[in-house]
Amino acid sequence: MNMANSQPGSMMTNTLGKAASQQMSREVTVSAQDVKVYYGDTQAIKGINLDIYRNEVIAFIGPSGCGKSTFLRVLNRMNDTIDGCRVEGKVTLDGEDIYDKSLDVVLLRARVGMVFQKPNPFPKSIFENIAYGPRLHGLASSKTDLEGIVESSLKRAGLWNEVKDRLDQPGTGLSGGQQQRLCIARTIAVSPEMILMDEPCSALDPIATAKVEELISELSREYTIAIVTHSMQQAARVSHRTAYFHLGDLIEVNATDKVFTQPEHELTEAYITGRFG
Amino acid sequence: MGRFPQGRHSSAQFDDELNSIHSHLLEMGRLAMQQVQRATTALTTGDLTLASRVLFDEAQVDRLEKIIDEECALVLARRQPAAGDLRMLIAASKGVADLERVGDEAAKLASMAEDNVRSGTSVAPYTMLHQLSVPVLALLERSLEALSRFDLQLAVEVTVDRRYRDVLGELLAKWPKVADRGAMIDLIWALRSLERVGDHARNLSEQAIFCISGKDIRHLSRDQLMDLLPGVSVP
Ligand SMILES: Nc1ncnc2c1ncn2[C@@H]1O[C@H](COP(=O)(O)OP(=O)(O)OP(=O)(O)O)[C@@H](O)[C@H]1O
Ligand SMILES: [Mg+2]
């Protein structure tokens, strides 16, 4: 079953995914080497190796508790904020060790932004939600500059037309789907290289979900995206590659069209076809 | 039931739905095969009852085709199947089309049998059809068997089996003198029909291979086939 997608005999190659992956360069953005994560004495991640390429959308799937969120948080050191959580191994971003003592974690989290399951806008105006990051990181030299960043971020998040007349109103007053796109706009306002998304659509209705998914494929032109999702269909729709996690192990990572038509590992097949427990 | 090699789904109903498609497909296959068998006999013996039976049962083959198509559409919409499940549905949808054409060929042969009886055409030259129908029906049976048991090795053997084509070649080479030109053309048509049934049987096995292994073996040479399916012996 070890056939690469280009070989004869692999049917049903998703043409969209293929076009996208052809555009994708093979430059490594993030490299995880033998990453292990412990919560106190319990090991949640058991020595994972994974390279994530520039401008790819990689989906992390697997049963609840298999370590998807934990691994995602490794990539921008969000686990540092969890008591008793310990990370071993090496993680590089553009070749630079992100667990190096001299590294500025605040800056790292701007370079590797994160969007959560539940939209979490600050209790501030729509404008301030976006302006906060660029101001913090000194990305804008003037008020006009800042306004420009706010506008372009909202545009790229596909939210501009819906909010341009009420930028001074609270971000929390938007619908769930709009709030999630606001959070995405906030993430891209600081010009990240990579965006981590942990079940970004699980609180959204199908239309809001479709908008976020559309956004993901547009954003992948500029950013590298890792997304955790419980929706197999979502993983199949938005990602170029899919990684299947199981009990803290990375079982299989392959082109998404391959994973969903000819998974290599029987655990992957059992999971994506709903043959579990 | 555990008929599928991958085991059961968490949703028992999903299992039932796939099992139903699978058994309807096999039922349709057995019926189509019986149709060919009966139509050939009707042609070689001039049995009018058998011929009309074939034409009557054609509706049953068509009914199964519709049922399977509907079932596949329903599972696709409801379950968003992936991997082996998805391949099984694709294989079933395509297999159904082949079986439906097998049924059509049988109906053609049965109509020809009826016409012959009505016009008083002799059945004697038609007896040669058996030489071709035997290997063709055997191939169809093995193809259904491979599909039924998810037997990759058997399915591969069927797809590379072109003996029925050799038989056809031999029959055409030592072609008998048939005085009646119309009858001669009919006889060639009948042989071509059976040949097509053999082709559909092989297509069906190609679908079985895709379903079982995920490999698309269409239009591949024997060497490519062996590369693509390590562990399978290609005769
Ligand atoms: N803060 C924590 N403290 C202790 N254990 C934790 C903590 N967070 C996660 N774990 C444990 O680590 C393992 C992996 O959890 P994680 O949240 O990464 O899984 P997940 O794949 O994201 O699951 P889900 O799909 O339910 O979100 C689980 O066994 C979990 O109980
Ligand atoms: Mg999680």
Side-chain angles (χ1 to χ4, degrees), chain A residues 14 58 80 110 122 151 162 166 194 244 257 263 277:
Chain A
N14 170 348
I58 185 166
D80 291 11
F122 307 134
E151 180 174 340
E162 290 158 67
R166 45 171 168 153
M194 181 161 186
Y244 175 65
D257 41 19

Side-chain angles (χ1 to χ4, degrees), chain A residues 125-147:
Chain A
S125 72
I126 292 169
F127 185 92
E128 279 306 315
N129 261 279
I130 312 295
Y132 178 81
R135 211 184 269 133
L136 178 73
H137 293 286
L139 296 180
S141 53
S142 65
K143 188 162 174 286
T144 340
D145 218 12
L146 191 60
E147 284 166 359

Side-chain angles (χ1 to χ4, degrees), chain A residues 20-145:
Chain A
S21 55
Q22 273 163 358
Q23 282 169 13
M24 197 198 306
S25 61
R26 296 273 86 181
E27 191 186 332
V28 174
T29 302
V30 163
S31 178
Q33 292 146 39
D34 198 23
V35 166
K36 299 181 176 120
V37 182
Y38 301 84
Y39 292 105
D41 294 335
T42 24
Q43 188 169 7
I45 297 289
K46 301 172 183 167
I48 284 184
N49 293 292
L50 179 67
D51 282 348
I52 299 177
Y53 302 104
R54 188 162 312 288
N55 297 113
E56 83 166 323
V57 179
I58 185 166
F60 295 168
I61 62 169
S64 193
C66 66
K68 306 177 295 291
S69 299
T70 300
F71 186 71
L72 200 69
R73 288 195 298 261
V74 163
L75 306 180
N76 72 345
R77 290 184 55 175
M78 218 53 146
N79 287 325
D80 291 11
T81 60
I82 298 172
D83 264 357
C85 183
R86 187 158 50 88
V87 177
E88 284 177 8
K90 190 172 178 186
V91 182
T92 60
L93 173 64
D94 299 328
E96 188 186 349
D97 184 352
I98 66 166
Y99 282 84
D100 192 284
K101 296 240 167 9
S102 64
L103 188 114
D104 179 347
V105 180
V106 176
L107 197 61
L108 171 70
R109 294 197 188 129
R111 287 169 70 192
V112 183
M114 190 149 188
V115 174
F116 298 87
Q117 178 171 2
K118 210 169 153 284
N120 57 348
F122 307 134
K124 288 194 162 120
S125 72
I126 292 169
F127 185 92
E128 279 306 315
N129 261 279
I130 312 295
Y132 178 81
R135 211 184 269 133
L136 178 73
H137 293 286
L139 296 180
S141 53
S142 65
K143 188 162 174 286
T144 340
D145 218 12

Side-chain angles (χ1 to χ4, degrees), chain A residues 139-161:
Chain A
L139 296 180
S141 53
S142 65
K143 188 162 174 286
T144 340
D145 218 12
L146 191 60
E147 284 166 359
I149 292 177
V150 170
E151 180 174 340
S152 78
S153 304
L154 286 168
K155 275 185 175 155
R156 276 185 290 172
L159 194 59
W160 177 248
N161 287 334

